[in-house]
Amino acid sequence: MNKALLGSMTNAEQRLVAETTRPALAELDEEELLALHARVRRARAKYVTMYRRGASGGVVKRGGRGFSYPKNQRDRGKAEVFESALAAVSRQVAVHAARAAAELKASRLDAARSGGGGPKAEAPDAGSDVTEMSRPRGVKKTTGGLKRDASTRAAGDRRQAKRDTRAAD
């Protein structure tokens, strides 16, 4: 970050960027990281929006995007600073999320190994003639009529054929 940009940032903005350094991020838990992520994302969105609005207004006034570019340096720089800060916080959130997922998976696997997890399986009675009813594989749920389903499939096939012939041309 250059010194001119640092001087144009408010104290609150400088503190927010300072909270995204590696040592500061290492001290935060997942909830605090998510709160910081939201704050940095809001700041980034603010300056990106200001930059885009200023640039679009400057195009008409100055006659082109190239002429408008130098006048909007401050907002563009701040947006870039907050973008890199947001990336750092996002990486740390991802690390915490991966760690939490690994812990959940390990606890779920431990519960499954100990046998305390799922429902108890009961063996069917040997004398029972009741068979379990289920749909055979490959049978699809229909809309209620064979003709309607066939018509829908045919319409889809016609649309796809039309697209295929357009792509071949």
Side-chain angles (χ1 to χ4, degrees), residues 23-36:
L25 289 175
E27 297 174 4
L28 301 178
D29 67 355
E30 191 171 4
E31 294 298 319
E32 293 169 330
L33 276 171
L34 291 174
L36 178 62

Side-chain angles (χ1 to χ4, degrees), residues 40-156:
V40 173
R41 192 176 60 230
R42 257 192 319 271
R44 186 225 29 200
K46 172 185 173 182
Y47 285 105
V48 166
T49 302
M50 287 173 61
Y51 166 66
R52 287 182 179 158
R53 284 184 183 162
S56 67
V59 167
V60 173
K61 190 185 329 178
R62 293 184 185 86
R65 286 190 321 215
F67 297 115
S68 175
Y69 185 82
K71 293 292 184 184
N72 212 359
Q73 183 72 28
R74 182 174 165 263
D75 290 334
R76 184 176 50 253
K78 283 188 177 187
E80 186 178 331
V81 166
F82 284 117
E83 185 68 41
S84 59
L86 184 64
V89 176
S90 294
R91 278 191 299 272
Q92 196 66 25
V93 167
V95 166
H96 277 268
R99 187 178 307 136
E103 289 171 3
L104 285 172
K105 182 177 180 181
S107 67
R108 186 174 45 83
L109 290 174
D110 289 342
R113 285 187 193 113
S114 67
K120 303 293 181 203
E122 297 179 14
D125 294 337
S128 173
D129 290 337
V130 177
T131 59
E132 188 175 323
M133 297 296 290
S134 66
R135 278 193 301 184
R137 275 189 146 187
V139 174
K140 295 180 182 174
K141 190 172 182 180
T142 65
T143 59
L146 294 176
K147 282 182 151 182
R148 183 183 294 162
D149 294 338
S151 174
T152 302
R153 279 193 302 274

